[in-house]
Amino acid sequence: MTLIASLTVATEAAAQALVEALGASEELDFPTAATTEQADQSWVVDVYFEDKPDAAALNALAASVLGSNAPAFKIAPLPDEDWVAKSLEGLKPVRAGRFLVHGSHDRDKIQPGDISIEIEAGEAFGTGHHGTTAGCLAEIDRLCSARDFKSILDLGTGTGVLAIALAKAWGKTVLATDIDPIATRVTEENAALNGVGALIEAATAEGFGNPVFAANAPFDLVIANILAGPLIALAPEIARHLTPDGTVVLSGLLVAQGPAVTAAYEAEGLRLTRSGEMEGWLTLTLER
């Protein structure tokens, strides 16, 4: 039986931050999908589970994101209907540069000149609708017209949307890693769906000690759309695996977290060359 956990918040930014935290949580059994939908002047976060979730852990996560006065999730059985199709109704196509991220229900929205990426809401997080993902896509499109890259890493790949964009933009092999085996499996499936399965090597890897990094390094382009804390912690390793003229694109951080993340990479010899904001989230580009 599928269960739905629902919580209402005041702003879209709060809803998206909660969805991001759900995707990064190691305390919860991984949900099958999470969506946000506007309701009057508020936003509703719906999280779908195949098994009963730990309500205490779910509410503790909400409190960590929204504050100690956060409302509790309401958990109930989902009515007998096509809930996946229902969850996709609110996911409109997203344009970022030349990229169009869409579900199968919106293939008719593809226009001449679009670089189409078809992603469904499902077991891994990242449908292109979050400001961090859209910001990365826009930066990938910009970089594509600026220079060529030969060795590319998508760190924390999620559904593989950025890896697919990278493979389509440059036609080069992309290493796509994630700590979650579900994410790497979904990335492989989505890469095949989008016709770039042969160009994407998806690997489950926690930390740069995994041999897959040494086998593909050094990288002249690293995309890391994760969270501010891990981005800061990984700065030395990312810099160590970068070519002398390499580029790093970072996202998953709020505007207020930008200075701390930037400082961590400047300490490793990189310089900030571009900063973009979308829906309260930053995308930073740094170079040697």
Side-chain angles (χ1 to χ4, degrees), residues 18 21 36 51 81 87 105-106 111 136 143 155-156 187 217 225 258:
L18 185 54
T36 63
D51 298 309
E81 61 179 306
S87 73
H105 59 298
D106 276 323
Q111 299 178 5
C136 286
L143 287 170
L155 186 67
T187 291
N225 180 19

Side-chain angles (χ1 to χ4, degrees), residues 8 34 36 49 127 142 173 194-195 197-198 204 210 213 218 229 238 249 263 280:
T8 301
T36 63
F49 295 87
T127 59
R142 188 190 71 83
T173 300
N194 284 273
T204 304
N210 190 293
F213 293 104
I238 289 177
V249 177

Side-chain angles (χ1 to χ4, degrees), residues 26-244:
E26 297 179 357
E27 302 298 324
L28 295 169
D29 291 334
F30 212 88
T32 57
T35 64
T36 63
E37 182 177 0
Q38 189 168 16
D40 296 326
Q41 300 301 313
S42 59
W43 289 77
V44 178
V45 177
D46 289 330
V47 193
Y48 302 89
F49 295 87
E50 289 299 331
D51 298 309
K52 186 176 181 180
D54 183 336
L58 191 60
N59 290 323
L61 183 144
S64 71
V65 175
L66 305 173
S68 58
N69 294 324
F73 274 94
K74 296 180 180 179
I75 302 172
L78 195 68
D80 187 14
E81 61 179 306
D82 188 349
W83 65 271
V84 172
K86 182 176 179 62
S87 73
L88 289 173
E89 289 175 358
L91 294 183
K92 304 303 181 185
V94 171
R95 292 190 179 277
R98 291 172 297 159
F99 294 109
L100 178 72
V101 184
H102 62 91
S104 59
H105 59 298
D106 276 323
R107 289 174 182 164
D108 60 334
K109 304 297 192 302
I110 302 171
Q111 299 178 5
D114 285 344
I115 302 177
S116 166
I117 303 175
E118 185 171 314
I119 301 288
E120 301 292 359
E123 293 174 285
F125 282 76
T127 59
H129 293 74
H130 194 276
T132 60
T133 309
C136 286
L137 288 170
E139 184 61 1
I140 290 169
D141 186 44
R142 188 190 71 83
L143 287 170
C144 187
S145 62
R147 62 169 288 190
D148 189 24
F149 294 97
K150 298 179 180 179
S151 181
I152 305 172
L153 169 64
D154 175 21
L155 186 67
T157 192
T159 58
V161 59
L162 297 180
I164 293 167
L166 291 161
K168 288 194 171 191
W170 280 282
K172 305 287 177 62
T173 300
V174 178
L175 174 62
T177 68
D178 204 288
I179 63 174
D180 183 4
I182 293 177
T184 49
R185 173 177 61 78
V186 170
T187 291
E188 290 177 341
E189 294 170 355
N190 285 332
L193 173 66
N194 284 273
V196 290
L199 292 177
I200 294 178
E201 178 185 355
T204 304
E206 184 169 357
F208 277 86
N210 190 293
V212 72
F213 293 104
N216 289 272
F219 304 99
D220 52 11
L221 177 61
V222 176
I223 305 284
N225 180 19
I226 42 179
L227 296 170
L231 286 176
I232 292 171
L234 288 168
E237 289 290 346
I238 289 177
R240 191 173 299 124
H241 287 78
L242 200 63
T243 60

